Amino acid sequence: MSIFDKTKHSALAGRLQDQHSSDYLVRIIARAGTFRALACTTTGLVADAAGRHGASPVAAAALGRALTGGALFGALLKTGQRLALTFEGNGPLRRIMVEAESNGVVRGTVKVPEVIIPDRNGKLDVAGALGRAGFLTVTKDLGLKEPYKGMVQLFSSEIAEDLAYYLTESEQIPSAVGLSVFVAGNGTVSAAGGFLIQSLPPGDDKIVNLLMERIGQLPPLSELLLAGTTPEQLLELLFADVPYDTLEKRALALQCTCSREKVEGVLVSLGRDELRTQIQEQGSAEVTCEFCRERYTFRKDELEQLLARLSTEGRDAG
Ligand SMILES: [Zn+2]
């Protein structure tokens, strides 16, 4: 099954979920053209996603980092394009999947959201949950016939470094990525955000070294986010004395593309026999969207209608 569903997505077609006006992303470019950078705050959408999936603290941190990374990657796409990030590891969380669109919309899911493992050095052990061995796959729907697909081994399984490693190795763009999700003692997500910096060709070693030094000296990202540091302020901290222009500020949102019509399509695609068995054995059907946990239920008579439709279509086709 393709990661992207076959129908062309439009922002309006998707079922709009809670909008978080506080979540946004800022994009800048150095006046000298030596780098571009993005920073974002994603607290609202990460908290919403973690709640929908009933995620444990470590699963919420993993999903939140991946969603934030997805938002940053999505902002590098051209209008109408979208991408999927799939992290697969040998840990108990097993898989994180995130989809992002060029318009700031993201959605995501983890395979085993209830995972609980001991902290590591006083921090949520995202790498331990995902597992240190595995792969990151980046799939991009660029509007071409076939989606673009790139894959790297997991670098540290902390998500940010894996994304930076992917960009640097697979796309040959030297990049730095910082992601953070702070989960409070009561399990709620109280801060989330991140940044992405890319060196643009031909590259300027002096600036790259300066930025690496600045990133190294930066207080922990979770501390900055908890203190209310905005994306603009984060970029100012990183690029003080380096002239840059702000290109864009855009809203980010958690939004799914599922709908009752699409679920009907999935049920119909099961085929006549399977649908008939479902009606006879269960009497009804319940389908839960993997990404937003929305539940779609179909009564017996509704399933029978689908079956009737299928039979008609079958006759038409024959
Ligand atoms: Zn959904």
Side-chain angles (χ1 to χ4, degrees):
M1 197 184 91
S2 162
I3 285 173
F4 301 107
D5 46 78
K6 292 176 193 86
T7 49
K8 274 276 166 225
H9 174 73
S10 97
L12 293 173
R15 207 169 42 76
L16 199 66
Q17 292 171 0
D18 300 341
Q19 288 285 2
H20 303 282
S21 54
S22 57
D23 293 337
Y24 68 96
L25 177 145
V26 174
R27 180 214 304 263
I28 65 161
I29 188 159
R31 243 166 243 169
T34 44
F35 66 84
R36 63 179 169 188
L38 313 160
C40 65
T41 171
T42 53
T43 308
L45 70 89
V46 170
D48 187 6
R52 282 175 180 277
H53 290 276
S56 68
V58 73
L63 176 61
R65 287 184 198 175
L67 279 168
T68 306
L72 292 166
F73 269 50
L76 299 173
L77 296 171
K78 294 194 175 76
T79 306
Q81 298 180 342
R82 40 192 192 150
L83 61 81
L85 307 175
T86 308
F87 301 82
E88 274 174 299
N90 61 346
L93 194 66
R94 291 175 55 193
R95 192 179 74 212
I96 313 165
M97 221 160 92
V98 162
E99 290 186 1
E101 296 175 31
S102 62
N103 61 358
V105 160
V106 290
R107 55 192 158 270
T109 179
V110 288
K111 185 78 182 167
V112 187
E114 59 275 11
V115 163
I116 291 179
I117 59 165
D119 286 358
R120 190 180 163 86
N121 304 324
K123 286 179 178 172
L124 292 169
D125 189 5
V126 169
L130 179 57
R132 278 162 213 284
F135 294 93
L136 161 61
T137 310
V138 179
T139 315
K140 291 185 185 178
D141 179 355
L142 304 175
L144 305 168
K145 230 179 198 170
E146 292 293 323
Y148 163 89
K149 209 168 188 176
M151 187 160 84
V152 290
Q153 288 200 335
L154 290 175
F155 184 78
S156 69
S157 302
E158 295 282 355
I159 310 300
E161 284 175 324
D162 304 295
L163 292 173
Y165 181 68
Y166 163 81
L167 289 171
T168 306
E169 286 301 309
S170 190
E171 297 200 4
Q172 307 279 305
I173 310 169
S175 306
V177 180
L179 300 169
S180 180
V181 173
F182 188 83
V183 184
N186 64 1
T188 57
V189 173
S190 44
F195 65 82
L196 189 162
I197 304 169
Q198 295 197 310
S199 170
L200 299 176
D204 181 338
D205 286 345
K206 242 168 72 181
I207 297 278
V208 169
N209 290 336
L210 173 76
L211 288 175
M212 294 308 285
E213 205 174 298
R214 291 251 173 93
I215 292 171
Q217 289 166 351
L218 209 64
L221 195 51
S222 60
E223 254 174 51
L224 290 170
L225 294 169
L226 274 174
T229 308
T230 64
E232 290 91 335
Q233 289 167 336
L234 186 59
L235 293 168
E236 275 167 30
L237 281 173
L238 288 165
F239 301 112
D241 310 323
V242 182
Y244 65 81
D245 293 309
T246 301
L247 297 179
E248 179 196 17
K249 177 177 168 175
R250 69 166 76 175
L252 299 174
L254 189 75
Q255 190 180 310
C256 202
T257 52
C258 69
S259 66
R260 193 166 176 90
E261 290 68 36
K262 282 188 187 174
V263 177
E264 279 177 7
V266 172
L267 288 171
V268 164
S269 74
L270 292 175
R272 235 168 292 180
D273 294 346
E274 183 95 2
L275 208 52
R276 207 170 278 142
T277 311
Q278 177 81 18
I279 293 168
Q280 279 161 4
E281 289 178 2
Q282 310 287 331
S284 62
E286 185 177 280
V287 179
T288 304
C289 173
E290 187 185 7
F291 281 100
C292 67
R293 311 303 299 169
E294 180 76 21
R295 249 181 244 168
Y296 296 92
T297 50
F298 293 84
R299 293 188 314 267
K300 191 177 180 183
D301 59 306
E302 290 171 322
L303 289 176
E304 278 164 350
Q305 271 174 28
L306 286 180
L307 189 64
R309 198 168 92 193
L310 216 149
S311 304
T312 318
E313 279 167 14
R315 260 204 304 280
D316 287 346

